Amino acid sequence: ELKLLHEEIQDLKMVQKRIRDDPNKKISIRDLDAALKSLKMVCTKKELEYMIWEVDENLDQCVDWHEFQLMFYRNTTDQTGLEPFELFNIVQFMTYDEDFK
């Protein structure tokens, strides 16, 4: 089990490096689905589409870096509680989750 966990961490590091090395990378519904499945969270296609749609300013069905930054800024400064937050909550969880659960 420890070996499997080590391999999974290595795989995630490779994905992170590819994303970091490509500033034009966008988060697609497929990417979001894979990330959530790695956390053992299964969502419907409609739920995934909605999470992307919440922050997809240019309506290309993906989240680019500008949209990602805008989502983060809007949610961290929102004092009304009206800002769409589903994708933001997932990003926050994945950022601070230390045991990959």
Side-chain angles (χ1 to χ4, degrees), residues 1-17:
E1 188 175 310
L2 187 58
K3 183 179 178 186
L4 183 62
L5 182 60
H6 179 69
E7 289 173 6
E8 188 173 330
I9 290 170
Q10 292 302 90
D11 290 345
L12 290 171
K13 285 181 179 180
M14 292 297 293
V15 169
Q16 183 183 29
K17 182 179 177 354

Side-chain angles (χ1 to χ4, degrees), residues 25-78:
K25 174 72 173 135
K26 296 179 180 185
I27 301 169
S28 68
I29 291 170
R30 190 175 178 185
D31 296 326
L32 181 57
D33 187 37
L36 291 172
K37 282 181 179 173
S38 75
L39 296 170
K40 310 271 187 283
M41 185 175 170
V42 179
C43 295
T44 66
K45 184 177 180 187
K46 189 172 194 106
E47 290 170 325
L48 294 167
E49 289 171 342
Y50 181 77
M51 285 184 245
I52 296 288
W53 174 82
E54 284 184 326
V55 297
D56 185 14
E57 296 288 322
N58 62 10
L59 301 176
D60 65 350
Q61 298 179 341
C62 295
V63 177
D64 61 32
W65 180 240
H66 173 72
E67 293 165 335
F68 187 88
Q69 289 176 308
L70 188 58
M71 170 198 67
F72 189 84
Y73 174 77
R74 286 178 174 170
N75 276 275
T76 55
T77 60
D78 180 26

